[in-house]
PDB file of all heavy atoms in Angstrom:
ATOM      1  N   ARG A 176      29.495 -49.609 -97.808  1.00  0.00           N
ATOM      2  CA  ARG A 176      29.820 -50.550 -96.729  1.00  0.00           C
ATOM      3  C   ARG A 176      30.613 -51.736 -97.284  1.00  0.00           C
ATOM      4  O   ARG A 176      31.663 -52.105 -96.759  1.00  0.00           O
ATOM      5  CB  ARG A 176      28.542 -51.063 -96.054  1.00  0.00           C
ATOM      6  CG  ARG A 176      27.731 -49.982 -95.349  1.00  0.00           C
ATOM      7  CD  ARG A 176      26.468 -50.587 -94.733  1.00  0.00           C
ATOM      8  NE  ARG A 176      26.795 -51.622 -93.785  1.00  0.00           N
ATOM      9  CZ  ARG A 176      26.476 -52.899 -93.930  1.00  0.00           C
ATOM     10  NH1 ARG A 176      25.772 -53.307 -94.967  1.00  0.00           N
ATOM     11  NH2 ARG A 176      26.843 -53.780 -93.024  1.00  0.00           N
ATOM     12  N   PRO A 272      21.690 -57.234 -96.027  1.00  0.00           N
ATOM     13  CA  PRO A 272      21.726 -58.161 -94.896  1.00  0.00           C
ATOM     14  C   PRO A 272      20.415 -58.948 -94.816  1.00  0.00           C
ATOM     15  O   PRO A 272      19.526 -58.756 -95.652  1.00  0.00           O
ATOM     16  CB  PRO A 272      21.889 -57.228 -93.690  1.00  0.00           C
ATOM     17  CG  PRO A 272      21.330 -55.914 -94.131  1.00  0.00           C
ATOM     18  CD  PRO A 272      21.561 -55.837 -95.614  1.00  0.00           C
ATOM     19  N   HIS A 274      19.074 -60.684 -91.396  1.00  0.00           N
ATOM     20  CA  HIS A 274      18.567 -61.246 -90.132  1.00  0.00           C
ATOM     21  C   HIS A 274      17.297 -60.596 -89.595  1.00  0.00           C
ATOM     22  O   HIS A 274      16.732 -61.097 -88.622  1.00  0.00           O
ATOM     23  CB  HIS A 274      19.669 -61.265 -89.064  1.00  0.00           C
ATOM     24  CG  HIS A 274      20.048 -59.938 -88.490  1.00  0.00           C
ATOM     25  ND1 HIS A 274      20.468 -59.780 -87.182  1.00  0.00           N
ATOM     26  CD2 HIS A 274      20.062 -58.701 -89.037  1.00  0.00           C
ATOM     27  CE1 HIS A 274      20.739 -58.509 -86.960  1.00  0.00           C
ATOM     28  NE2 HIS A 274      20.510 -57.837 -88.066  1.00  0.00           N
ATOM     29  N   HIS A 275      16.834 -59.518 -90.232  1.00  0.00           N
ATOM     30  CA  HIS A 275      15.549 -58.933 -89.821  1.00  0.00           C
ATOM     31  C   HIS A 275      14.367 -59.404 -90.667  1.00  0.00           C
ATOM     32  O   HIS A 275      13.221 -59.122 -90.316  1.00  0.00           O
ATOM     33  CB  HIS A 275      15.607 -57.407 -89.871  1.00  0.00           C
ATOM     34  CG  HIS A 275      16.564 -56.797 -88.896  1.00  0.00           C
ATOM     35  ND1 HIS A 275      16.521 -57.071 -87.545  1.00  0.00           N
ATOM     36  CD2 HIS A 275      17.588 -55.928 -89.066  1.00  0.00           C
ATOM     37  CE1 HIS A 275      17.489 -56.400 -86.933  1.00  0.00           C
ATOM     38  NE2 HIS A 275      18.157 -55.704 -87.826  1.00  0.00           N
ATOM     39  N   GLY A 283      14.011 -53.782 -91.731  1.00  0.00           N
ATOM     40  CA  GLY A 283      15.351 -53.415 -91.296  1.00  0.00           C
ATOM     41  C   GLY A 283      16.435 -53.636 -92.327  1.00  0.00           C
ATOM     42  O   GLY A 283      17.478 -54.219 -92.008  1.00  0.00           O
ATOM     43  N   PHE A 284      16.205 -53.189 -93.557  1.00  0.00           N
ATOM     44  CA  PHE A 284      17.170 -53.273 -94.666  1.00  0.00           C
ATOM     45  C   PHE A 284      17.257 -54.691 -95.244  1.00  0.00           C
ATOM     46  O   PHE A 284      18.085 -54.941 -96.107  1.00  0.00           O
ATOM     47  CB  PHE A 284      18.601 -52.818 -94.274  1.00  0.00           C
ATOM     48  CG  PHE A 284      18.707 -51.652 -93.320  1.00  0.00           C
ATOM     49  CD1 PHE A 284      19.838 -51.495 -92.522  1.00  0.00           C
ATOM     50  CD2 PHE A 284      17.719 -50.691 -93.239  1.00  0.00           C
ATOM     51  CE1 PHE A 284      19.969 -50.416 -91.646  1.00  0.00           C
ATOM     52  CE2 PHE A 284      17.828 -49.608 -92.368  1.00  0.00           C
ATOM     53  CZ  PHE A 284      18.952 -49.476 -91.566  1.00  0.00           C
ATOM     54  N   ASP A 310      24.354 -64.679 -83.450  1.00  0.00           N
ATOM     55  CA  ASP A 310      24.110 -63.351 -84.015  1.00  0.00           C
ATOM     56  C   ASP A 310      24.592 -62.310 -83.017  1.00  0.00           C
ATOM     57  O   ASP A 310      23.960 -62.099 -81.980  1.00  0.00           O
ATOM     58  CB  ASP A 310      22.611 -63.216 -84.281  1.00  0.00           C
ATOM     59  CG  ASP A 310      22.226 -61.910 -84.976  1.00  0.00           C
ATOM     60  OD1 ASP A 310      22.967 -60.909 -84.823  1.00  0.00           O
ATOM     61  OD2 ASP A 310      21.168 -61.888 -85.634  1.00  0.00           O
ATOM     62  N   PHE A 311      25.737 -61.658 -83.334  1.00  0.00           N
ATOM     63  CA  PHE A 311      26.233 -60.614 -82.422  1.00  0.00           C
ATOM     64  C   PHE A 311      26.034 -59.211 -82.991  1.00  0.00           C
ATOM     65  O   PHE A 311      26.603 -58.254 -82.461  1.00  0.00           O
ATOM     66  CB  PHE A 311      27.684 -60.880 -81.993  1.00  0.00           C
ATOM     67  CG  PHE A 311      28.696 -61.077 -83.105  1.00  0.00           C
ATOM     68  CD1 PHE A 311      29.122 -60.008 -83.876  1.00  0.00           C
ATOM     69  CD2 PHE A 311      29.232 -62.341 -83.345  1.00  0.00           C
ATOM     70  CE1 PHE A 311      30.072 -60.190 -84.881  1.00  0.00           C
ATOM     71  CE2 PHE A 311      30.178 -62.543 -84.366  1.00  0.00           C
ATOM     72  CZ  PHE A 311      30.598 -61.456 -85.129  1.00  0.00           C
ATOM     73  N   ASP A 312      25.223 -59.092 -84.028  1.00  0.00           N
ATOM     74  CA  ASP A 312      24.797 -57.769 -84.504  1.00  0.00           C
ATOM     75  C   ASP A 312      24.119 -57.038 -83.340  1.00  0.00           C
ATOM     76  O   ASP A 312      23.496 -57.662 -82.488  1.00  0.00           O
ATOM     77  CB  ASP A 312      23.814 -57.959 -85.658  1.00  0.00           C
ATOM     78  CG  ASP A 312      23.439 -56.672 -86.365  1.00  0.00           C
ATOM     79  OD1 ASP A 312      22.621 -55.899 -85.816  1.00  0.00           O
ATOM     80  OD2 ASP A 312      23.951 -56.431 -87.472  1.00  0.00           O
ATOM     81  N   VAL A 313      24.238 -55.713 -83.317  1.00  0.00           N
ATOM     82  CA  VAL A 313      23.706 -54.948 -82.182  1.00  0.00           C
ATOM     83  C   VAL A 313      22.182 -54.960 -82.135  1.00  0.00           C
ATOM     84  O   VAL A 313      21.590 -54.696 -81.084  1.00  0.00           O
ATOM     85  CB  VAL A 313      24.248 -53.503 -82.196  1.00  0.00           C
ATOM     86  CG1 VAL A 313      23.489 -52.631 -83.192  1.00  0.00           C
ATOM     87  CG2 VAL A 313      24.210 -52.878 -80.799  1.00  0.00           C
ATOM     88  N   HIS A 314      21.556 -55.279 -83.281  1.00  0.00           N
ATOM     89  CA  HIS A 314      20.098 -55.362 -83.324  1.00  0.00           C
ATOM     90  C   HIS A 314      19.656 -56.815 -83.170  1.00  0.00           C
ATOM     91  O   HIS A 314      20.332 -57.731 -83.670  1.00  0.00           O
ATOM     92  CB  HIS A 314      19.570 -54.813 -84.649  1.00  0.00           C
ATOM     93  CG  HIS A 314      19.955 -53.383 -84.906  1.00  0.00           C
ATOM     94  ND1 HIS A 314      21.072 -53.047 -85.657  1.00  0.00           N
ATOM     95  CD2 HIS A 314      19.395 -52.224 -84.484  1.00  0.00           C
ATOM     96  CE1 HIS A 314      21.165 -51.708 -85.703  1.00  0.00           C
ATOM     97  NE2 HIS A 314      20.170 -51.192 -84.987  1.00  0.00           N
ATOM     98  N   HIS A 315      18.515 -57.015 -82.524  1.00  0.00           N
ATOM     99  CA  HIS A 315      18.009 -58.383 -82.385  1.00  0.00           C
ATOM    100  C   HIS A 315      17.707 -58.985 -83.759  1.00  0.00           C
ATOM    101  O   HIS A 315      17.079 -58.339 -84.606  1.00  0.00           O
ATOM    102  CB  HIS A 315      16.725 -58.380 -81.536  1.00  0.00           C
ATOM    103  CG  HIS A 315      16.120 -59.749 -81.409  1.00  0.00           C
ATOM    104  ND1 HIS A 315      14.816 -60.028 -81.741  1.00  0.00           N
ATOM    105  CD2 HIS A 315      16.683 -60.922 -81.013  1.00  0.00           C
ATOM    106  CE1 HIS A 315      14.589 -61.316 -81.534  1.00  0.00           C
ATOM    107  NE2 HIS A 315      15.698 -61.876 -81.087  1.00  0.00           N
ATOM    108  N   LEU A 339      16.137 -51.154 -78.125  1.00  0.00           N
ATOM    109  CA  LEU A 339      16.605 -50.694 -79.442  1.00  0.00           C
ATOM    110  C   LEU A 339      15.694 -51.345 -80.482  1.00  0.00           C
ATOM    111  O   LEU A 339      15.157 -52.434 -80.245  1.00  0.00           O
ATOM    112  CB  LEU A 339      18.064 -51.128 -79.675  1.00  0.00           C
ATOM    113  CG  LEU A 339      18.724 -50.653 -80.986  1.00  0.00           C
ATOM    114  CD1 LEU A 339      18.916 -49.133 -80.981  1.00  0.00           C
ATOM    115  CD2 LEU A 339      20.084 -51.330 -81.215  1.00  0.00           C
ATOM    116  N   TRP A 340      15.560 -50.690 -81.635  1.00  0.00           N
ATOM    117  CA  TRP A 340      14.819 -51.299 -82.739  1.00  0.00           C
ATOM    118  C   TRP A 340      15.395 -52.695 -83.015  1.00  0.00           C
ATOM    119  O   TRP A 340      16.611 -52.833 -82.954  1.00  0.00           O
ATOM    120  CB  TRP A 340      14.993 -50.413 -83.996  1.00  0.00           C
ATOM    121  CG  TRP A 340      14.107 -50.801 -85.124  1.00  0.00           C
ATOM    122  CD1 TRP A 340      12.877 -50.300 -85.444  1.00  0.00           C
ATOM    123  CD2 TRP A 340      14.373 -51.836 -86.086  1.00  0.00           C
ATOM    124  NE1 TRP A 340      12.371 -50.951 -86.535  1.00  0.00           N
ATOM    125  CE2 TRP A 340      13.264 -51.899 -86.949  1.00  0.00           C
ATOM    126  CE3 TRP A 340      15.428 -52.722 -86.302  1.00  0.00           C
ATOM    127  CZ2 TRP A 340      13.182 -52.805 -88.007  1.00  0.00           C
ATOM    128  CZ3 TRP A 340      15.346 -53.631 -87.342  1.00  0.00           C
ATOM    129  CH2 TRP A 340      14.235 -53.665 -88.184  1.00  0.00           C
ATOM    130  N   GLY A 394      27.255 -59.041 -87.583  1.00  0.00           N
ATOM    131  CA  GLY A 394      27.047 -57.598 -87.672  1.00  0.00           C
ATOM    132  C   GLY A 394      28.060 -56.916 -86.772  1.00  0.00           C
ATOM    133  O   GLY A 394      28.372 -57.422 -85.694  1.00  0.00           O
ATOM    134  N   PHE A 395      28.564 -55.785 -87.239  1.00  0.00           N
ATOM    135  CA  PHE A 395      29.614 -55.107 -86.481  1.00  0.00           C
ATOM    136  C   PHE A 395      29.146 -53.736 -85.978  1.00  0.00           C
ATOM    137  O   PHE A 395      29.960 -52.857 -85.716  1.00  0.00           O
ATOM    138  CB  PHE A 395      30.879 -55.014 -87.337  1.00  0.00           C
ATOM    139  CG  PHE A 395      31.422 -56.368 -87.707  1.00  0.00           C
ATOM    140  CD1 PHE A 395      31.113 -56.953 -88.933  1.00  0.00           C
ATOM    141  CD2 PHE A 395      32.182 -57.093 -86.798  1.00  0.00           C
ATOM    142  CE1 PHE A 395      31.586 -58.223 -89.261  1.00  0.00           C
ATOM    143  CE2 PHE A 395      32.659 -58.351 -87.109  1.00  0.00           C
ATOM    144  CZ  PHE A 395      32.362 -58.924 -88.343  1.00  0.00           C
ATOM    145  N   ASP A 396      27.818 -53.597 -85.812  1.00  0.00           N
ATOM    146  CA  ASP A 396      27.257 -52.320 -85.357  1.00  0.00           C
ATOM    147  C   ASP A 396      27.187 -52.205 -83.832  1.00  0.00           C
ATOM    148  O   ASP A 396      26.692 -51.195 -83.320  1.00  0.00           O
ATOM    149  CB  ASP A 396      25.891 -52.041 -86.000  1.00  0.00           C
ATOM    150  CG  ASP A 396      25.006 -53.262 -86.083  1.00  0.00           C
ATOM    151  OD1 ASP A 396      25.362 -54.311 -85.487  1.00  0.00           O
ATOM    152  OD2 ASP A 396      23.954 -53.179 -86.752  1.00  0.00           O
ATOM    153  N   ALA A 397      27.687 -53.219 -83.113  1.00  0.00           N
ATOM    154  CA  ALA A 397      27.874 -53.052 -81.667  1.00  0.00           C
ATOM    155  C   ALA A 397      29.191 -52.343 -81.360  1.00  0.00           C
ATOM    156  O   ALA A 397      29.519 -52.102 -80.190  1.00  0.00           O
ATOM    157  CB  ALA A 397      27.823 -54.405 -80.954  1.00  0.00           C
ATOM    158  N   ASP A 401      29.784 -47.033 -83.981  1.00  0.00           N
ATOM    159  CA  ASP A 401      28.638 -47.168 -84.880  1.00  0.00           C
ATOM    160  C   ASP A 401      27.577 -46.110 -84.586  1.00  0.00           C
ATOM    161  O   ASP A 401      27.249 -45.862 -83.421  1.00  0.00           O
ATOM    162  CB  ASP A 401      28.024 -48.566 -84.763  1.00  0.00           C
ATOM    163  CG  ASP A 401      27.126 -48.865 -85.951  1.00  0.00           C
ATOM    164  OD1 ASP A 401      25.937 -48.502 -85.900  1.00  0.00           O
ATOM    165  OD2 ASP A 401      27.633 -49.427 -86.946  1.00  0.00           O
ATOM    166  N   LEU A 403      24.306 -46.174 -85.255  1.00  0.00           N
ATOM    167  CA  LEU A 403      22.915 -46.607 -85.106  1.00  0.00           C
ATOM    168  C   LEU A 403      22.586 -47.150 -83.727  1.00  0.00           C
ATOM    169  O   LEU A 403      21.434 -47.465 -83.452  1.00  0.00           O
ATOM    170  CB  LEU A 403      22.565 -47.672 -86.153  1.00  0.00           C
ATOM    171  CG  LEU A 403      22.568 -47.267 -87.621  1.00  0.00           C
ATOM    172  CD1 LEU A 403      21.798 -48.293 -88.449  1.00  0.00           C
ATOM    173  CD2 LEU A 403      21.985 -45.883 -87.843  1.00  0.00           C
ATOM    174  N   ALA A 404      23.580 -47.315 -82.855  1.00  0.00           N
ATOM    175  CA  ALA A 404      23.312 -47.953 -81.566  1.00  0.00           C
ATOM    176  C   ALA A 404      24.307 -47.460 -80.534  1.00  0.00           C
ATOM    177  O   ALA A 404      25.175 -46.633 -80.834  1.00  0.00           O
ATOM    178  CB  ALA A 404      23.393 -49.468 -81.704  1.00  0.00           C
ATOM    179  N   GLU A 437      26.220 -58.985 -91.656  1.00  0.00           N
ATOM    180  CA  GLU A 437      24.911 -58.360 -91.429  1.00  0.00           C
ATOM    181  C   GLU A 437      25.119 -56.843 -91.365  1.00  0.00           C
ATOM    182  O   GLU A 437      25.450 -56.242 -92.362  1.00  0.00           O
ATOM    183  CB  GLU A 437      24.270 -58.929 -90.151  1.00  0.00           C
ATOM    184  CG  GLU A 437      23.989 -60.429 -90.207  1.00  0.00           C
ATOM    185  CD  GLU A 437      22.717 -60.812 -90.982  1.00  0.00           C
ATOM    186  OE1 GLU A 437      22.047 -59.925 -91.534  1.00  0.00           O
ATOM    187  OE2 GLU A 437      22.406 -62.025 -91.027  1.00  0.00           O
ATOM    188  N   GLY A 438      24.988 -56.208 -90.162  1.00  0.00           N
ATOM    189  CA  GLY A 438      25.083 -54.760 -90.081  1.00  0.00           C
ATOM    190  C   GLY A 438      26.483 -54.246 -89.810  1.00  0.00           C
ATOM    191  O   GLY A 438      27.470 -54.988 -89.816  1.00  0.00           O
ATOM    192  N   GLY A 439      26.546 -52.938 -89.523  1.00  0.00           N
ATOM    193  CA  GLY A 439      27.821 -52.250 -89.317  1.00  0.00           C
ATOM    194  C   GLY A 439      27.828 -51.015 -90.197  1.00  0.00           C
ATOM    195  O   GLY A 439      27.891 -51.145 -91.424  1.00  0.00           O
ATOM    196  N   TYR A 440      27.739 -49.827 -89.597  1.00  0.00           N
ATOM    197  CA  TYR A 440      27.414 -48.625 -90.375  1.00  0.00           C
ATOM    198  C   TYR A 440      28.431 -47.503 -90.267  1.00  0.00           C
ATOM    199  O   TYR A 440      28.282 -46.486 -90.931  1.00  0.00           O
ATOM    200  CB  TYR A 440      25.989 -48.170 -90.020  1.00  0.00           C
ATOM    201  CG  TYR A 440      25.032 -49.300 -90.276  1.00  0.00           C
ATOM    202  CD1 TYR A 440      24.601 -50.139 -89.246  1.00  0.00           C
ATOM    203  CD2 TYR A 440      24.668 -49.620 -91.581  1.00  0.00           C
ATOM    204  CE1 TYR A 440      23.791 -51.235 -89.507  1.00  0.00           C
ATOM    205  CE2 TYR A 440      23.866 -50.715 -91.853  1.00  0.00           C
ATOM    206  CZ  TYR A 440      23.420 -51.514 -90.806  1.00  0.00           C
ATOM    207  OH  TYR A 440      22.640 -52.611 -91.080  1.00  0.00           O
TER     208      TYR A 440
HETATM  209 ZN1   ZN B 594      22.312 -54.258 -86.902  1.00  0.00          ZN
END
Side-chain angles (χ1 to χ4, degrees):
R176 296 179 59 244
H274 73 148
H275 295 306
F284 323 155
D310 185 334
F311 54 73
D312 188 283
V313 80
H314 301 95
H315 177 235
L339 183 67
W340 190 94
F395 298 96
D396 41 9
D401 197 273
L403 295 197
E437 298 281 2
Y440 303 98

